[in-house]
Amino acid sequence: MEYGASQLISNPSTYPYQGLKEDGQQQVQSTVITLGPNVTQVRDHLPWSIFNFFYLNFCCLGFVALVFSIKSRDRKVVGDVEGAQHYASTARALNIAIAVLASLAV
């Protein structure tokens, strides 16, 4: 039997249910849905990039490292672990290069 919108009762506890029936009783099956991604911890090196941007901004590499760190954090929020790891490794390499070049310049 099909029910249209005009035939449904306004109280949701009294909606007709066509589920499993045993011994004249109706059983309701429930489904559990886990929300939220199980994202592994990806280090985005954002504090290090901010420090390099403000204090050791050698040839604007600090700005580029900051951009990659922010991209890594955005990918981590979306749930793209591979993209976040790629951007984080690029930001880390740039931060290391900035630290080495700035220390050689001093």
Side-chain angles (χ1 to χ4, degrees):
M1 179 175 184
E2 304 231 343
Y3 294 95
S6 63
Q7 296 173 336
L8 292 177
I9 304 168
S10 63
N11 188 357
S13 64
T14 60
Y15 281 163
Y17 178 72
Q18 298 173 353
L20 301 174
K21 293 183 181 180
E22 290 182 9
D23 300 328
Q25 299 216 357
Q26 296 176 351
Q27 293 183 348
V28 178
Q29 292 181 339
S30 62
T31 303
V32 177
I33 300 173
T34 305
L35 297 177
N38 292 330
V39 177
T40 59
Q41 293 296 329
V42 177
R43 298 185 67 177
D44 53 12
H45 307 290
L46 187 64
W48 191 12
S49 297
I50 291 172
F51 175 81
N52 285 340
F53 176 66
F54 284 115
Y55 297 109
L56 305 175
N57 197 7
F58 188 81
C59 295
C60 294
L61 287 177
F63 177 71
V64 176
L66 182 64
V67 168
F68 276 101
S69 295
I70 292 171
K71 283 184 176 185
S72 173
R73 181 162 285 190
D74 290 344
R75 292 284 95 201
K76 185 169 56 170
V77 168
V78 171
D80 181 15
V81 178
E82 289 182 23
Q85 287 174 345
H86 174 71
Y87 287 129
S89 66
T90 304
R92 180 175 180 245
L94 286 171
N95 283 324
I96 290 171
I98 294 165
V100 169
L101 291 173
S103 63
L104 289 176
V106 169

